[in-house]
Amino acid sequence: MTNLNPNEYGKAAGQAFMNAPIVAFISTQGDGPALWLEAGQTLQYLLLVSTKYGLVHDISAGPIEVPSIAPALRRLVDWQSKPQLLIRLGVAKSPALTVSTPRRSVNDCLA
């Protein structure tokens, strides 16, 4: 995972970063259950860290699953990796309008 620090490029770059969402891929070097788990762990880490810093996210797996779009997405990442997930991260323009998902109880999760 690449760490992005917009402030290392100056105040103007940092401000531009804060006003524009980032679209990122989570990709693996192949496909299969072990790599899906790895991608999920990467997503978990990304969501926890982004939430810590007040970012909101939008996850989209749909484009990755469309056979005619997948090769184009693969070229954006590199020819070798398999995009697993497309995610958009950014700062909410109106934080008061963001919706948090309530925590489920342990019993609900195990039922």
Side-chain angles (χ1 to χ4, degrees), residues 9-51:
Y9 300 103
K11 189 174 183 176
Q15 190 60 38
F17 174 84
M18 295 304 289
N19 291 325
I22 292 177
V23 176
F25 292 98
I26 293 177
S27 61
T28 56
Q29 290 302 316
D31 209 9
L35 294 170
W36 300 334
L37 180 61
E38 184 180 301
Q41 290 170 329
T42 300
L43 175 63
Q44 176 186 13
Y45 177 79
L46 177 66
L47 295 180
L48 288 170
V49 171
S50 63
T51 299

Side-chain angles (χ1 to χ4, degrees), residues 4-88:
L4 299 175
N5 180 357
N7 293 321
E8 79 180 48
Y9 300 103
K11 189 174 183 176
Q15 190 60 38
F17 174 84
M18 295 304 289
N19 291 325
I22 292 177
V23 176
F25 292 98
I26 293 177
S27 61
T28 56
Q29 290 302 316
D31 209 9
L35 294 170
W36 300 334
L37 180 61
E38 184 180 301
Q41 290 170 329
T42 300
L43 175 63
Q44 176 186 13
Y45 177 79
L46 177 66
L47 295 180
L48 288 170
V49 171
S50 63
T51 299
K52 176 181 175 182
Y53 290 103
L55 298 175
V56 294
H57 64 274
D58 180 36
I59 299 171
S60 178
I64 305 279
E65 296 172 359
V66 177
S68 61
I69 296 175
L73 295 175
R74 193 172 288 127
R75 283 192 299 273
L76 290 173
V77 180
D78 67 47
W79 288 100
Q80 304 302 316
S81 64
K82 165 80 169 86
Q84 298 289 346
L85 195 68
L86 179 65
I87 186 166
R88 183 174 178 240

